[in-house]
Amino acid sequence: MRPWAGSWRWITLVLLAWGTLLFYIGGHLVRDSEHPERSSRELSKILAKLERLKQQNEDLRRMAESLRIPEGQVDVGPMAAGRLRSLEDQLTRAKQKIHSFQRLTGDGPGPTQEELRRRVENGVQELWYFVRSEVKKLAHVEVTERQKYATALLQDLGHQQRSIMTDLFYLSQADGVGEWRAKEATDLSGLVQNRITYLQNPPDCSKARKLVCNINKGCGYGCQLHHVVYCFMIAYGTQRTLILESHNWRYATGGWETVFLPVSNSCTDRTGTSTGHWSGEDHDKDVQVVELPIVDSLHPRPPYLPLAVPEDLAQRIQRLHGDPSVWWVSQFVKYLVRPQAWLEKEIQQTTAKLGFKHPIIGVHVRRTDKVGTEAAFHPIEEYMVHVEEQFQYLARRVHVDKKRVYLATDDPSLLQEAKTKYPEYEFISDNSISWSAGLHNRYTENSLRGVILDIHFLSQTDFLICTFSSQVCRVAYEIMQTLHPDASSFFHSLDDIYYFGGQNAHNQIAIYPHQPRSADDIPLEPGDVVGVAGNHWDGNSKGVNRKLGRTGLYPSYKVKEKIETVKYPTYPEADKQLSAQRK
């Protein structure tokens, strides 16, 4: 018998695995023939899966060819043995993909998903039974005992809420969904980053259409970064290469490129045959170089401003992420804040110096110029209530050896106050950053280093507690979205909901009717569009019913987000290049 007969048996098994997959697909489509809409969706999934398996099949074919042994050659060397092991690995992965395919396109959800769904359903029902019973008891509790009773009630409610949230977390990871989400997040971000790179590196800079953005807006780092993000979105929407003018930047006179990687490797020259100030996309179509004002002075306003997302990607983003507009903003932040080598080294050294490790909760306390103007004063106690809640939640999923808190603040006295009041927590902070964030030190390279490090560490935490009135907090939250498939819920803001300065209207859609319970409420009917003013974090939001023109409160659960989509360019040439790279 030939010594390689065993190898051909492996190859035969691979082909049988393929036959099994094709048989399964055929049977699945026949079963769904009476449901053409579902069959169409399943067929799309199957074709995408087959496209990936097609490449693997080609790899197996080449491997089989490489295993052919010339007549008379019977020596089995280590190279051939290695090929056999590789072929065995390919077979194992093929089997796994078939099982995964069966789970994704089968006749129902997996067993783990169903078990967890029932646990959540039961948990919600039991929570209602508990609340209803305890509220009835409250009427009979003596006035002197009510505070004690209310405290115990809130503790019990917190335990039940965390149990339900833990089940929901595991439900989000069940039966391969977590793996799908991680892969989809990587693929989708890779696609957008590749499109941006393509836009920013035209083949001939002298002929490229350009959008000029000056970084020196009269505000702090977070505000200036968001200014550049706004410019970048307009550049992407109008298919113009962004030219970032940052010489004599108030934070670093050498410019943006001394801190972060350049926004272009090949096109940084703003010159062109014609130059003009922004006057609208259609009006500027024959102008090669367009200068963009700050968003407050932008007229006419193009459709590409937040909170809109690209129409061609909207379905994928919405399926992946809980807040599509934040995810879209985060992709431009991700491209912009790629660190230079010295900054990357600084981050690594500071990580080791501070002892930054998980689990850890991020707290950002903004004082100084914000308090009394853009934001109210919030004592450390307000933040720590939510810190403790999150650690109790984390403890249901991971081992909490220490309750670590990364504290970022522009108030140097706060670190000692926090340590004194909460000795059971380990506060990780760099007080030199707090001093550099003061108004008298703010626009210096040392201050820039400090705010970049604070934002980096806040984004790396497991949960972020802050005030969204602060741009620093919102930047940290945006970067956090690039580190997880969906981190849209990894925050608690003590004041505002998320917003992007200069954004278009933030709208929601009523999904349940609401009859006013007091003069402060507004009525809702399903389908009504509500302009959001804010969330009171007490179960109610404030907004305007656009149909009625009335402003007031409404239960937050009775609405859903209205996702705005815009016909952004689709950059097919960039996508072709990316597909070629992945083959």
Side-chain angles (χ1 to χ4, degrees):
M1 180 182 290
R2 287 175 61 94
W4 285 97
S7 303
W8 290 107
R9 280 198 295 272
W10 279 110
I11 296 168
T12 302
L13 285 172
V14 172
L15 295 176
L16 284 173
W18 258 97
T20 303
L21 175 61
L22 293 174
F23 177 79
Y24 173 80
I25 292 170
H28 186 78
L29 289 178
V30 169
R31 287 196 304 272
D32 275 357
S33 60
E34 297 180 1
H35 305 281
E37 185 175 326
R38 191 175 83 176
S39 296
S40 176
R41 290 196 302 269
E42 296 297 336
L43 183 58
S44 298
K45 294 180 184 177
I46 290 166
L47 291 174
K49 181 71 71 172
L50 285 176
E51 185 62 33
R52 291 194 293 271
L53 292 178
K54 178 182 175 183
Q55 183 61 41
Q56 292 184 350
N57 185 51
E58 182 62 22
D59 293 341
L60 289 172
R61 186 192 64 76
R62 286 196 297 268
M63 190 174 293
E65 288 293 328
S66 70
L67 289 171
R68 291 184 184 275
I69 308 298
E71 289 295 329
Q73 182 177 337
V74 296
D75 180 43
V76 181
M79 182 178 296
R83 288 174 177 167
L84 181 58
R85 284 194 298 271
S86 179
L87 184 58
E88 291 172 356
D89 291 340
Q90 289 275 13
L91 176 63
T92 301
R93 286 196 293 271
K95 288 180 177 178
Q96 291 172 345
K97 285 187 177 294
I98 290 173
H99 293 321
S100 173
F101 183 81
Q102 288 173 332
R103 286 199 305 269
L104 291 173
T105 62
D107 292 327
T112 306
Q113 183 178 357
E114 277 300 277
E115 178 187 352
L116 288 165
R117 183 191 62 78
R118 292 188 184 100
R119 276 168 51 180
V120 171
E121 183 179 49
N122 182 68
V124 171
Q125 187 62 56
E126 290 298 326
L127 180 62
W128 165 242
Y129 291 154
F130 176 75
V131 171
R132 182 175 60 184
S133 173
E134 294 301 311
V135 169
K136 287 181 179 178
K137 292 177 185 177
L138 188 60
H140 304 289
V141 174
E142 295 293 334
V143 175
T144 55
E145 294 293 314
R146 284 185 182 175
Q147 182 60 52
K148 181 180 177 181
Y149 184 87
T151 300
L153 176 59
L154 286 173
Q155 289 177 347
D156 289 339
L157 288 172
H159 290 315
Q160 295 201 39
Q161 183 262 355
R162 286 186 288 275
S163 294
I164 294 171
M165 294 302 293
T166 301
D167 288 341
L168 284 171
F169 169 79
Y170 287 121
L171 181 62
S172 74
Q173 306 298 310
D175 297 325
V177 176
E179 289 84 352
W180 168 84
R181 190 176 288 110
K183 183 179 184 304
E184 175 68 356
T186 299
D187 291 348
L188 195 53
S189 180
L191 182 148
V192 174
Q193 295 300 306
N194 184 68
R195 288 183 180 183
I196 295 174
T197 301
Y198 176 85
L199 172 68
Q200 287 302 109
N201 295 279
D204 187 347
C205 184
S206 65
K207 297 179 180 178
R209 286 157 34 95
K210 304 171 185 177
L211 191 77
V212 179
C213 179
N214 193 304
I215 196 173
N216 279 315
K217 184 179 180 180
C219 54
Y221 170 76
C223 170
Q224 290 183 343
L225 177 58
H226 281 141
H227 168 62
V228 179
V229 169
Y230 137 74
C231 293
F232 222 150
M233 287 181 154
I234 305 298
Y236 185 96
T238 56
Q239 293 182 279
R240 291 179 177 272
T241 300
L242 179 70
I243 305 296
L244 180 58
E245 291 192 327
S246 62
H247 185 64
N248 288 326
W249 183 20
R250 65 195 307 185
Y251 277 103
T253 56
W256 183 266
E257 295 77 14
T258 63
V259 182
F260 302 106
L261 295 181
V263 296
S264 174
N265 296 323
S266 62
C267 191
T268 57
D269 183 3
R270 64 163 287 164
T271 59
T273 56
S274 58
T275 302
H277 294 284
W278 172 267
S279 57
E281 184 176 5
D282 292 337
H283 192 272
D284 295 335
K285 61 183 178 181
D286 295 325
V287 181
Q288 184 181 358
V289 182
V290 173
E291 296 181 358
L292 199 64
I294 62 174
V295 70
D296 312 73
S297 305
L298 184 67
H299 183 77
R301 290 169 63 90
Y304 311 114
L305 295 171
L307 304 162
V309 297
E311 186 178 83
D312 68 308
L313 302 178
Q315 188 173 3
R316 290 180 68 182
I317 301 172
Q318 193 170 357
R319 186 183 182 198
L320 172 70
H321 200 270
D323 195 332
S325 61
V326 176
W327 186 92
W328 181 237
V329 169
S330 77
Q331 294 306 302
F332 292 92
V333 176
K334 178 180 180 177
Y335 185 90
L336 284 167
V337 299
R338 297 165 298 156
Q340 287 284 5
W342 73 264
L343 179 56
E344 183 68 40
K345 183 179 179 180
E346 178 86 6
I347 290 171
Q348 293 172 359
Q349 290 176 342
T350 307
T351 301
K353 175 185 173 184
L354 293 176
F356 185 97
K357 58 182 179 179
H358 297 270
I360 188 167
I361 305 297
V363 171
H364 177 245
V365 181
R366 183 70 186 272
R367 299 274 172 84
T368 63
D369 59 318
K370 288 285 183 181
V371 175
T373 55
E374 298 179 39
F377 178 91
H378 295 277
I380 189 64
E381 288 82 0
E382 283 191 51
Y383 297 85
M384 295 305 294
V385 167
H386 302 288
V387 169
E388 178 57 29
E389 286 181 355
Q390 287 305 311
F391 271 120
Q392 290 188 33
Y393 171 57
L394 281 172
R396 293 173 179 263
R397 298 191 284 113
V398 299
H399 173 62
V400 178
D401 58 333
K402 287 184 179 179
K403 294 193 286 188
R404 300 180 190 86
V405 176
Y406 182 81
L407 179 61
T409 180
D410 54 1
D411 181 355
S413 67
L414 187 60
L415 177 60
Q416 188 55 51
E417 178 188 345
K419 287 181 175 181
T420 302
K421 290 181 175 179
Y422 300 94
E424 68 274 26
Y425 292 87
E426 179 182 345
F427 288 92
I428 296 173
S429 187
D430 185 344
N431 235 16
S432 67
I433 295 177
S434 300
W435 284 106
S436 70
L439 291 175
H440 54 290
N441 295 320
R442 182 156 299 175
Y443 299 109
T444 63
E445 292 190 11
N446 189 48
S447 174
L448 177 63
R449 167 195 168 276
V451 71
I452 290 172
L453 288 174
D454 264 349
I455 288 173
H456 169 79
F457 289 120
L458 288 170
S459 72
Q460 294 283 326
T461 60
D462 298 298
F463 195 86
L464 180 59
I465 300 164
C466 60
T467 51
F468 270 167
S469 57
S470 167
Q471 305 245 23
V472 166
C473 178
R474 298 204 303 276
V475 172
Y477 176 66
E478 290 156 1
I479 296 176
M480 184 181 276
Q481 308 313 306
T482 70
L483 306 176
H484 307 270
D486 181 5
S488 59
S489 63
F490 292 9
F491 81 97
H492 182 82
S493 170
L494 298 184
D495 54 16
D496 295 337
I497 57 176
Y498 175 85
Y499 66 94
F500 189 96
Q503 69 184 30
N504 288 324
H506 182 177
N507 291 320
Q508 295 174 330
I509 300 174
I511 54 177
Y512 298 114
H514 177 64
Q515 293 301 318
R517 299 160 298 185
S518 72
D520 295 329
D521 284 15
I522 57 172
L524 297 176
E525 291 295 334
D528 285 355
V529 176
V530 182
V532 188
N535 190 318
H536 285 198
W537 311 118
D538 61 358
N540 293 292
S541 292
K542 185 175 182 179
V544 55
N545 184 321
R546 299 202 183 278
K547 181 176 70 176
L548 302 177
R550 288 179 57 181
T551 298
L553 302 178
Y554 56 93
S556 302
Y557 79 92
K558 292 190 174 184
V559 297
K560 67 176 183 179
E561 291 296 316
K562 187 176 188 295
I563 308 301
E564 306 288 352
T565 62
V566 169
K567 286 186 178 295
Y568 270 96
T570 57
Y571 295 95
E573 291 302 318
D575 292 354
K576 286 180 184 176
Q577 290 180 7
L578 184 61
S579 298
Q581 293 169 10
R582 289 176 173 172
K583 286 184 179 179

